[in-house]
Amino acid sequence: MEWLQIITLALLQGITEFLPISSSAHLILPAQLTDWPDQGLAFDVAVHMGTLLAVCSYFRVELTQYASGSLSALRDRSINPAFEEVLKLGLATLPVVICGFLLQDWIAASLRSVEVIAYTTIFFGVLLALADRRHGSIATVSLTVALLIGLAQALALIPGTSRSGITMTAALWLGLSRTEAARFSFLLSIPTIAGAALLTGIELTEQTAPVQWGELALGLCVAGGSAYLCINAFIRLVERTGMMPYVYYRLILGAVLLFIASGS
């Protein structure tokens, strides 16, 4: 790949993975507007690992507490607050794992068109706007709320939905504050991204193409750096900006994708 393609795709992955604007809606644009070659599975794994390292680095204090609390809970055979958070994240991850296992092949064959991505980008953008009007001030996630957010996350298997967008939509609809909705959404991304990278990595082992380590390292660093900056800025600013800037952006992006689909 050319350096411009590597940097562009890595930036798109790093930024759109955590903003509620749909990474699939953006990653389809270079394929439609350029003659760049397919980046390949190895590059997909690299940029996903970059975003995973970014979110783990940002929440390193919480993750350390979760690990320590889980070990203490197993040793003492009791549930402490840190272990309860781990249970919430695990519970919220189950729906996307089950739905992904059952529906992955059908979604890949039926729902990856530009037109589908355009309509889902617009539709779930409107839902995000409605949810933002309902946001509350709840700063803790219960097990029931975690499960409901997890069920919503399963919808992110549909291209154009946005994993972060749909989880924040559900969280806001259930009365969480914007900051807590973003925090839980980003923490929930850790097992989801790790699982996706693992599955892609397993698929990669079946290929025999040579590995371009320089390209992968650059992609990982660019995706990771941009993702970390994005997470930091979003959480600091979301209470002031709200979700409407992202809603307007989604509506414009969806319209652009519909225009592209109509001409193809």
Side-chain angles (χ1 to χ4, degrees):
M1 292 187 291
E2 298 177 357
W3 295 113
L4 178 61
Q5 180 183 4
I6 295 169
I7 293 172
T8 300
L9 294 179
L11 278 174
L12 283 175
Q13 177 64 37
I15 295 172
T16 61
E17 181 68 44
F18 297 105
L19 293 182
I21 54 177
S22 174
S23 58
S24 57
H26 288 79
L27 293 173
I28 200 173
L29 286 174
Q32 295 293 321
L33 302 177
T34 71
D35 57 355
W36 287 343
D38 182 84
Q39 65 266 27
L41 287 176
F43 188 80
D44 287 344
V45 173
V47 294
H48 274 94
M49 288 303 299
T51 56
L52 179 61
L53 290 173
V55 69
C56 288
S57 176
Y58 185 86
F59 289 106
R60 58 190 178 278
V61 174
E62 288 88 342
L63 294 177
T64 301
Q65 293 172 347
Y66 294 165
S68 175
S70 297
L71 291 175
S72 297
L74 293 174
R75 182 183 64 245
D76 301 335
R77 296 183 180 180
S78 62
I79 297 179
N80 55 51
F83 186 59
E84 186 176 356
E85 288 297 307
V86 174
L87 291 178
K88 293 173 187 176
L89 292 171
L91 182 64
T93 302
L94 279 178
V96 74
V97 172
I98 295 171
C99 292
F101 179 77
L102 295 175
L103 302 174
Q104 180 180 12
D105 292 340
W106 176 77
I107 290 172
S110 306
L111 299 180
R112 291 202 176 275
S113 69
V114 178
E115 189 173 14
V116 168
I117 292 175
Y119 282 122
T120 52
T121 297
I122 293 171
F123 176 73
F124 287 105
V126 173
L127 286 187
L128 178 60
L130 296 175
D132 193 43
R133 294 183 179 182
R134 288 176 54 93
H135 83 276
S137 57
I138 299 174
T140 56
V141 177
S142 66
L143 283 170
T144 301
V145 168
L147 177 59
L148 291 174
I149 293 173
L151 290 171
Q153 182 178 233
L155 292 172
L157 293 168
I158 303 172
T161 301
S162 171
R163 190 212 62 81
S164 60
I166 193 62
T167 51
M168 290 183 204
T169 297
L172 293 169
W173 204 277
L174 293 167
L176 269 67
S177 69
R178 289 167 176 156
T179 301
E180 180 60 19
R183 189 195 73 87
F184 190 77
S185 173
F186 293 161
L187 284 168
L188 188 55
S189 74
I190 295 175
T192 307
I193 296 173
L198 177 62
L199 291 176
T200 308
I202 293 173
E203 189 177 349
L204 180 61
T205 61
E206 301 173 359
Q207 298 188 359
T208 58
V211 177
Q212 303 296 328
W213 292 107
E215 295 180 359
L216 301 187
L218 178 60
L220 185 149
C221 291
V222 172
S226 58
Y228 186 92
L229 294 174
C230 180
I231 294 169
N232 182 56
F234 188 88
I235 288 182
R236 284 193 300 107
L237 298 174
V238 67
E239 287 294 346
R240 280 185 285 169
T241 63
M243 297 296 175
M244 290 312 297
Y246 309 101
V247 172
Y248 296 140
Y249 181 83
R250 287 184 70 123
L251 296 178
I252 295 170
L253 177 61
V256 170
L257 291 173
L258 282 176
F259 177 77
I260 292 174
S262 66
S264 61

